[in-house]
Amino acid sequence: MSLFQDQYDVIVVGAGHAGCEAAAAAANMGCTTLLVTMNLQNIAQMSCNPAMGGIAKGQIVREIDALGGYSGIVSDKTAIQFKMLNVSKGPAMWSPRCQSDRMRFAEEWRLMLEQTPNLDFYQEMVSGIVTKNGKLIGIRTSLGIEIKGKSVVLTNGTFLNGLIHIGEKQFGGGRAGESASFGITEDLINLGFESGRMKTGTPPRVDGRSLDYSKMIEQPGDINPQKFSYSNVTSPLKEQRSCWMTYTSPEVHDLLREGFDRSPMFNGRIKSLGPRYCPSIEDKINRFADKDRHQLFVEPEGWNTVEVYVNGFSTSLPEDVQFKALRSVPGFENVKFFRPGYAIEYDYFPPTQLKHTLETKLVEGLYFAGQINGTTGYEEAASQGLMAGINAALKVKGEEPLILNRDEAYIGVLVDDLITKGTEEPYRMFTSRAEYRTLLRQDNADLRLTPKGYAIGLAKVDRLERVEEKLAKSEAFLQFFKDTSVKPDEANPILEEKGSSPMSQPDKMFKLFSRPQLELEDFVKFEKVKNYIDEFELDEEIVQQAEIQVKYSGYIEKEKLQADKLNRLEYVIIPDNFDFDKIKSISIEAKQKLNKIRPKTIAQASRISGVSPSDISVLLIYMGR
């Protein structure tokens, strides 16, 4: 008798953010799924800061939710604070973020996964993958057990040959207190995969009872907090916990510099690259020597725990140096450590070895998601896990894959960047990476993606009905603005108050409300608008959607035209067996990059670093264009 069924449709290795989303997606799409992890107590562990979302990352969480993933719901259920970032800028930049209760977050994920049909669990280290004649047939565990699967999704995080650094000390581990994973890297290299090393770091965790918050600046949540999930499963927070902010100083920097010769980053023991946009405190002091202070965000780890995360103080310096320097930070004079910060090195596999489905080019049925692809961040990992789980399930079912374009989702930008450009340092998503960010707003992720999630059997019918209602009401409200006139005597008092030039004759509301001085609160001062909202019971989400469509219609239409123009190149297919070497008129670098990445379309080829516009012109001629 076997411990397992004869063959699973999808096996997911690793239960971090990527693995959890992959397993949930595959199981919810009807596939028999096995989630294998080294420790079932650490499912969905927040290894770094206790927060979800942020600039561009919040958009990704909303996209995951819109498709039918779990991250948004779990975040809402376990949040202790919610903020909409960048509200002083245009709506393309608005980004939701929440502080999370670290223990509750992991607990909620596990409970939701345990309630997911078709999903089995197993605790053991996976030491390799099993192939036969170049085709994947399953995994092998450290006990020598082989488990058969039609597809495997690897989401190993920082565990592949993980090495932890604290000052002069180093020891194997995938996370503090947990062992590294061995065997998978070696198997993949033997199969012909290229691997590399990356590093990341984390700050000390401290005892909140030892801090003096009177010396810090309070950072409360929003007065009227929103939430991540578009579903009605969750509700906005009624109570919130504050975060706090303080600063380093020249004294702190001098104390830290005393340990630089003992830092693995400066003495050469760490050779791999860390995240550029989340540098360690020693890296910040070194790179920005002209700055005499840096912000530190003091983040509570939950509702009831006293543990605090010191965001901005990521370090691999010796623990005594960390402690001495942190005690010179205002509010930290009597700080007590729960655990010191550390850096960790781990194996990754350059993502140019993947297809847009996140399936590997070398081994059919094998998918990579998360930090194994060179990314950093919970949200980036979760979105890759979701897409890998979806596409593994679709492949098993014999259905067409789900590939999101760059004008459809931040997730599409993320995957396309990884596949076509690769990365030599931990990749993090920013709004600036998306050329169509006016289209990819956090407020419309459901309109963009829920129909796609429903079509593949992931998003449920109630979600689709909510989206259809939102769309219908938003469009009707927008048409009301276009059809309804407003007289000068109605508008001018408000225009005068806002410092906008008065009207001399009646005009349509659409034109009036497109003035930059007018905001949502001004719309509802007009009796006709207030009556319409009351009559059709429009909620704030729909009113805000209409406001954005009015005020930014020109920008939105312009981006749609640009996207349509470039998307035509997505339909110019490059044959799988196309010989780039036979084209004499393109550069040697272009030939090398095109042969390595094997783009599927002209549009994808145009985004590869080293392929010039003139190379694309030549390719178009060869494609008969």
Side-chain angles (χ1 to χ4, degrees):
M1 178 180 287
S2 172
L3 277 171
F4 306 97
Q5 61 184 61
D6 291 340
Q7 186 182 47
Y8 283 95
D9 291 327
V10 181
I11 298 173
V12 178
V13 179
H17 300 264
C20 288
E21 285 289 3
N28 280 322
M29 290 171 69
C31 291
T32 55
T33 306
L34 176 67
L35 178 60
V36 189
T37 179
M38 292 166 68
N39 189 345
L40 284 168
Q41 303 307 313
N42 293 331
I43 283 178
Q45 185 72 259
M46 293 181 123
S47 306
C48 206
N49 63 320
M52 288 291 284
I55 296 169
K57 293 167 173 280
Q59 284 87 328
I60 289 176
V61 176
R62 288 218 152 164
E63 290 176 352
I64 292 169
D65 181 75
L67 285 165
Y70 284 175
S71 286
I73 292 172
V74 173
S75 297
D76 287 344
K77 285 185 173 182
T78 60
I80 63 175
Q81 186 195 89
F82 191 96
K83 269 189 174 182
M84 186 66 73
L85 306 181
N86 283 340
V87 289
S88 62
K89 301 179 181 179
M93 304 297 286
W94 299 350
S95 302
R97 182 186 189 272
C98 75
Q99 280 302 126
S100 300
D101 185 313
R102 185 190 298 276
M103 290 184 284
R104 284 280 301 112
F105 185 91
E107 178 189 35
E108 188 61 40
W109 252 115
R110 175 160 179 170
L111 294 175
M112 287 187 71
L113 288 173
E114 287 183 355
Q115 293 161 25
T116 301
N118 306 312
L119 182 57
D120 291 345
F121 302 85
Y122 186 60
Q123 176 175 299
E124 202 194 328
M125 181 191 294
V126 173
S127 59
I129 61 168
V130 183
T131 59
K132 187 175 183 180
N133 300 323
K135 184 173 173 58
L136 177 123
I137 59 172
I139 60 168
R140 181 177 57 258
T141 75
S142 58
L143 291 177
I145 300 169
E146 290 192 1
I147 308 172
K148 292 183 178 178
K150 296 176 184 175
S151 62
V152 171
V153 182
L154 294 182
T155 69
N156 303 88
T158 59
F159 282 78
L160 293 180
N161 295 320
L163 186 64
I164 291 174
H165 296 266
I166 303 177
E168 302 96 332
K169 306 176 184 76
Q170 62 181 52
F171 46 92
R175 192 162 44 209
E178 297 178 60
S179 65
S181 172
F182 304 102
I184 290 176
T185 292
E186 293 71 22
D187 267 12
L188 293 174
I189 289 173
N190 289 336
L191 286 166
F193 285 92
E194 174 193 348
S195 73
R197 294 283 277 179
M198 282 187 178
K199 82 169 178 75
T200 189
T202 192
R205 272 55 157 199
V206 303
D207 188 335
R209 296 169 298 183
S210 66
L211 303 182
D212 183 354
Y213 292 102
S214 69
K215 296 181 179 179
M216 305 181 200
I217 303 164
E218 188 172 7
Q219 305 277 294
D222 288 346
I223 295 172
N224 296 306
Q226 299 181 38
K227 62 192 187 83
F228 276 114
S229 182
Y230 293 101
S231 71
N232 54 11
V233 174
T234 61
S235 303
L237 284 170
K238 290 185 172 61
E239 292 180 51
Q240 301 185 73
R241 281 201 69 178
S242 288
C243 296
W244 303 81
M245 186 173 71
T246 184
Y247 291 90
T248 61
S249 65
E251 180 190 358
V252 175
H253 299 178
D254 288 341
L255 289 169
L256 289 167
R257 285 191 187 97
E258 288 178 11
F260 276 14
D261 61 330
R262 300 166 62 197
S263 166
M265 189 180 81
F266 290 107
N267 64 23
R269 280 223 321 275
I270 292 180
K271 295 182 172 62
S272 47
L273 289 173
R276 177 191 301 264
Y277 302 103
C278 189
S280 65
I281 187 66
E282 54 263 42
D283 199 17
K284 282 190 275 192
I285 293 169
N286 191 49
R287 281 166 51 189
F288 308 108
D290 58 317
K291 304 288 185 187
D292 59 8
R293 68 176 191 171
H294 294 286
Q295 291 177 328
L296 298 180
F297 294 96
V298 182
E299 302 179 350
E301 298 246 339
W303 284 115
N304 300 313
T305 181
V306 297
E307 189 171 0
V308 167
Y309 181 89
V310 190
N311 196 341
F313 205 86
S314 175
T315 180
S316 59
L317 286 166
E319 65 276 12
D320 59 315
V321 176
Q322 297 182 31
F323 183 67
K324 189 176 178 183
L326 202 51
R327 280 213 157 187
S328 294
V329 171
F332 282 75
E333 292 84 358
N334 299 304
V335 69
K336 294 180 181 178
F337 271 30
F338 272 16
R339 43 189 158 145
Y342 62 87
I344 180 167
E345 285 188 288
Y346 55 93
D347 293 337
Y348 86 105
F349 290 81
T352 50
Q353 300 172 99
L354 304 177
K355 303 174 184 177
H356 272 80
T357 58
L358 298 181
E359 184 182 23
T360 67
K361 295 173 183 175
L362 281 174
V363 179
E364 186 179 356
L366 179 63
Y367 296 77
F368 292 171
Q371 284 175 287
I372 192 173
N373 290 335
T375 61
T376 180
Y378 306 147
E379 303 82 3
E380 289 88 344
S383 66
Q384 291 171 72
L386 179 73
M387 297 309 295
I390 286 171
N391 282 313
L394 290 172
K395 179 153 188 161
V396 166
K397 293 177 168 187
E399 298 176 14
E400 286 296 307
L402 177 65
I403 297 171
L404 301 175
N405 293 329
R406 296 180 72 91
D407 63 328
E408 292 178 315
Y410 271 93
I411 297 173
V413 174
L414 168 68
V415 172
D416 188 64
D417 276 355
L418 293 174
I419 304 314
T420 59
K421 299 174 183 176
T423 185
E424 294 178 353
E425 61 184 43
Y427 177 102
R428 178 181 177 180
M429 179 53 72
F430 289 99
T431 50
S432 58
R433 294 193 191 273
E435 58 270 53
Y436 306 118
R437 54 187 172 274
T438 308
L439 302 180
L440 308 182
R441 305 182 311 277
Q442 56 83 31
D443 61 89
N444 70 353
D446 55 341
L447 301 179
R448 291 184 275 120
L449 298 177
T450 296
K452 293 179 182 291
Y454 178 75
I456 60 172
L458 189 55
K460 302 297 183 276
V461 66
D462 60 320
R463 279 185 176 261
L464 184 67
E465 289 171 351
R466 284 173 65 87
V467 167
E468 289 173 341
E469 180 186 15
K470 176 179 174 179
L471 183 62
K473 285 187 173 181
S474 297
E475 288 181 344
F477 195 26
L478 201 61
Q479 194 60 47
F480 165 77
F481 287 143
K482 291 177 179 178
D483 295 341
T484 307
S485 295
V486 59
K487 296 176 181 177
D489 61 333
E490 296 175 89
N492 284 341
I494 296 171
L495 294 176
E496 184 179 340
E497 181 186 332
K498 286 292 183 175
S500 185
S501 56
M503 293 172 60
S504 57
Q505 59 187 31
D507 210 340
K508 298 296 184 186
M509 281 188 171
F510 187 93
K511 187 175 178 182
L512 175 67
F513 289 163
S514 64
R515 295 191 183 195
Q517 295 89 347
L518 297 187
E519 298 172 350
L520 178 61
E521 62 210 37
D522 301 310
F523 289 20
V524 295
K525 291 177 183 175
F526 289 85
E527 197 67 30
K528 293 174 185 175
V529 176
K530 188 177 182 303
N531 290 340
Y532 187 97
I533 291 171
D534 292 341
E535 181 182 351
F536 293 98
E537 299 179 338
L538 304 186
D539 59 29
E540 186 180 343
E541 196 176 321
I542 291 168
V543 175
Q544 185 185 76
Q545 188 67 216
E547 179 197 15
I548 291 169
Q549 292 294 329
V550 170
K551 295 182 76 64
Y552 296 91
S553 58
Y555 298 104
I556 292 169
E557 286 307 312
K558 185 179 178 181
E559 273 198 5
K560 281 180 179 176
L561 288 171
Q562 288 175 337
D564 290 343
K565 185 178 178 181
L566 287 173
N567 278 343
R568 290 172 203 152
L569 296 179
E570 296 286 2
Y571 297 101
V572 184
I573 305 297
I574 301 173
D576 288 338
N577 59 351
F578 188 82
D579 183 6
F580 295 104
D581 289 325
K582 73 181 180 182
I583 306 177
K584 301 279 193 292
S585 308
I586 64 174
S587 69
I588 293 172
E589 183 185 5
K591 287 180 186 178
Q592 291 172 343
K593 295 285 182 67
L594 291 165
N595 277 319
K596 181 179 181 180
I597 295 170
R598 306 297 309 177
K600 293 290 186 184
T601 68
I602 291 291
Q604 186 190 343
S606 72
R607 294 190 289 270
I608 297 172
S609 174
V611 178
S612 70
S614 61
D615 295 327
I616 295 300
S617 298
V618 173
L619 271 175
L620 280 168
I621 293 168
Y622 270 82
M623 296 295 112
R625 298 299 177 108

